[in-house]
Amino acid sequence: MRVRVKVLSPVHIGNGERISRLEFFVEKGRLKVYKFDRIISTIERLANPQLRNNAYLWFKTSKNLSLEEFLRNFKINLEPNYELEINGSLNSSQVEEFIKILEGPYIPGSELKGSIRHLIACAWFMDKPDLVIEKVKQLLNSGRAKDQREQNNVEGELERSVFYPKGERDAQFDVLKVLSIPDSQPLPYQSLRVEVPKLIGSNRTLYPCEALKEGVEFEMEININKNAYRGLETQRKLPEIGKHFSDENAFWNFLVDCSRNFYSKLLDEEIKFFQNRHQDIAKHLEKLKNHLNTSGVLLRLGKHEGILSTTLLLIVKEKDKALFDEFFRATQNIAREQTNKTRRVNSQGLTFGWLLLERL
């Protein structure tokens, strides 16, 4: 099944690395990136041995390492590996890098599959809120609600109740193994820009990051392995949601319903929170919600949360507000008046990570 992916807001998928001041400088509102190995290779090719030694010495002794100053001082004429426009005022010495291969940035299939998994789980628990409420109460009663390992264990149990047949713990029977999503083809560097995000709901500062720009479009494959499905069906190892994985049509319709049901609730909650605080963000969220009226799948991708985050806990909040508040206070490092989820936004008030999938 071929799908078109439309980027609705900046999307950052990191590779775990940051680009340092020794690999970039800013010129006329653009980030110019020079990979460090190319800089070293250029130094190695300097014909003058003394100039070559001075270049290495500069790296060792300079107190304020600046790539721009280095290239200028040693008269090195080197084209950047790539350059990106900057959205915002970049004052940081590091920039979070987008995941890439040699040919360019790409979207890992595992990242898209993980977001789909998260969406299905949240939508499923909307009809079974008592399961989440029970687990939240157990965590609180244990006195270890803040323990990340305990949270992970509970999240694992909740996920198994969605994707595994009842009573099963063997990962080979996870119904999402029926779903196959290859990586996207490499995208042009022009698909990226540097965002300087701020964090709503926290005073913590964020690093600038390379991100896909809103308006970018590309295609990916989402496939159902019918042999794997028949294997689970034959062994009677399908969970309750298994019927939706019988073929691509059934799965797509299921995904559309999950997106409408869950993100409608999530966006309503966020619009309500931001309406009187940040109207530009509220308007952006209203536009996102309009996509739920189409035949596409609204999806959030990139850095986000486990299923016990405040996204899923909106279900608890709706059923038992006091329990939601108690759990939120018990698991936050710093108490806040508002039990809202923090949000990364760019200079225009766009929250990060939103895509629309359209079936081709």
Side-chain angles (χ1 to χ4, degrees), residues 327-344:
F327 184 80
F328 184 89
R329 303 297 182 196
T331 55
Q332 296 305 301
N333 291 324
I334 302 174
R336 299 199 303 269
E337 282 186 22
Q338 294 289 339
T339 54
N340 66 296
K341 178 163 177 52
T342 56
R343 277 284 173 263
R344 292 195 305 163

Side-chain angles (χ1 to χ4, degrees), residues 25-32 68 86:
F25 65 84
V26 175
E27 184 177 76
K28 297 180 180 178
R30 298 183 69 81
L31 186 85
K32 297 193 172 186
E68 186 176 15
I86 301 171

Side-chain angles (χ1 to χ4, degrees), residues 181-196:
I181 306 180
D183 295 343
S184 77
Q185 291 296 310
L187 304 172
Y189 275 91
Q190 291 84 349
S191 301
L192 297 176
R193 74 174 170 220
V194 177
E195 296 284 358
V196 184

Side-chain angles (χ1 to χ4, degrees), residues 107-122 159 163 176 179-181 220 251 255 263 299-302 304-307:
I107 300 293
S110 58
E111 192 78 23
L112 191 63
K113 187 172 179 177
S115 291
I116 287 173
R117 185 184 191 92
H118 177 82
L119 169 60
I120 291 173
C122 289
E159 279 204 359
F163 300 107
L176 248 65
L179 188 65
S180 170
I181 306 180
M220 291 186 72
F251 177 72
L255 204 56
Y263 287 131
L299 192 68
R300 192 165 60 196
L301 191 69
H304 58 75
E305 60 292 311
I307 62 173

Side-chain angles (χ1 to χ4, degrees), residues 67-184:
L67 176 60
E68 186 176 15
E69 180 186 338
F70 170 77
L71 295 176
R72 184 174 60 250
N73 286 352
F74 290 92
K75 298 180 173 57
I76 294 175
N77 185 18
L78 187 64
E79 289 296 313
N81 286 70
Y82 62 92
E83 57 180 278
L84 305 175
E85 64 175 302
I86 301 171
N87 185 30
S89 179
L90 195 156
N91 300 310
S92 174
S93 61
Q94 297 183 74
V95 175
E96 290 190 332
E97 190 172 8
F98 197 95
I99 191 167
K100 305 180 186 76
I101 54 176
L102 287 176
E103 293 87 348
Y106 72 101
I107 300 293
S110 58
E111 192 78 23
L112 191 63
K113 187 172 179 177
S115 291
I116 287 173
R117 185 184 191 92
H118 177 82
L119 169 60
I120 291 173
C122 289
W124 192 81
F125 283 118
M126 284 180 65
D127 293 328
K128 297 171 177 60
D130 291 344
L131 293 176
V132 184
I133 288 172
E134 179 186 349
K135 292 298 181 185
V136 167
K137 286 180 177 177
Q138 287 177 6
L139 262 178
L140 287 170
N141 292 337
S142 72
R144 292 179 291 180
K146 199 172 182 177
D147 187 318
Q148 190 61 53
R149 183 179 296 179
E150 290 297 318
Q151 287 189 33
N152 290 341
N153 289 339
V154 169
E155 288 182 4
E157 290 180 37
L158 287 170
E159 279 204 359
R160 282 191 293 273
S161 69
V162 181
F163 300 107
Y164 289 42
K166 191 172 183 179
E168 186 60 71
R169 299 180 66 88
D170 192 330
Q172 69 173 315
F173 298 118
D174 183 339
V175 74
L176 248 65
K177 290 194 177 296
V178 171
L179 188 65
S180 170
I181 306 180
D183 295 343
S184 77

Side-chain angles (χ1 to χ4, degrees), residues 104-304:
Y106 72 101
I107 300 293
S110 58
E111 192 78 23
L112 191 63
K113 187 172 179 177
S115 291
I116 287 173
R117 185 184 191 92
H118 177 82
L119 169 60
I120 291 173
C122 289
W124 192 81
F125 283 118
M126 284 180 65
D127 293 328
K128 297 171 177 60
D130 291 344
L131 293 176
V132 184
I133 288 172
E134 179 186 349
K135 292 298 181 185
V136 167
K137 286 180 177 177
Q138 287 177 6
L139 262 178
L140 287 170
N141 292 337
S142 72
R144 292 179 291 180
K146 199 172 182 177
D147 187 318
Q148 190 61 53
R149 183 179 296 179
E150 290 297 318
Q151 287 189 33
N152 290 341
N153 289 339
V154 169
E155 288 182 4
E157 290 180 37
L158 287 170
E159 279 204 359
R160 282 191 293 273
S161 69
V162 181
F163 300 107
Y164 289 42
K166 191 172 183 179
E168 186 60 71
R169 299 180 66 88
D170 192 330
Q172 69 173 315
F173 298 118
D174 183 339
V175 74
L176 248 65
K177 290 194 177 296
V178 171
L179 188 65
S180 170
I181 306 180
D183 295 343
S184 77
Q185 291 296 310
L187 304 172
Y189 275 91
Q190 291 84 349
S191 301
L192 297 176
R193 74 174 170 220
V194 177
E195 296 284 358
V196 184
K198 59 181 178 179
L199 195 62
I200 301 294
S202 171
N203 293 325
R204 186 163 59 92
T205 56
L206 299 173
Y207 285 105
C209 63
E210 297 179 336
L212 288 179
K213 297 185 284 190
E214 64 275 13
V216 168
E217 296 185 12
F218 54 95
E219 295 181 9
M220 291 186 72
E221 290 284 339
I222 297 179
N223 300 314
I224 295 292
N225 186 325
K226 292 185 177 180
N227 289 333
Y229 178 83
R230 282 194 288 269
L232 292 176
E233 187 178 40
T234 300
Q235 296 181 65
R236 296 183 179 179
K237 290 292 187 179
L238 286 171
E240 184 180 327
I241 65 168
K243 60 187 177 184
H244 302 295
F245 290 76
S246 58
D247 58 53
E248 290 173 352
N249 289 333
F251 177 72
W252 181 258
N253 292 334
F254 175 56
L255 204 56
V256 170
D257 287 342
C258 287
S259 180
R260 287 175 180 167
N261 294 339
F262 179 66
Y263 287 131
S264 176
K265 179 182 288 291
L266 176 63
L267 288 169
D268 279 345
E269 183 73 17
E270 296 201 338
I271 290 167
K272 180 181 175 182
F273 176 80
F274 286 115
Q275 225 157 24
N276 297 322
R277 295 175 175 85
H278 301 275
Q279 289 192 1
D280 55 339
I281 300 177
K283 289 178 181 177
H284 154 65
L285 296 170
E286 289 279 7
K287 288 181 180 178
L288 290 176
K289 191 178 176 185
N290 290 337
H291 292 288
L292 296 174
N293 300 321
T294 70
S295 58
V297 173
L298 188 64
L299 192 68
R300 192 165 60 196
L301 191 69
K303 284 185 176 180
H304 58 75

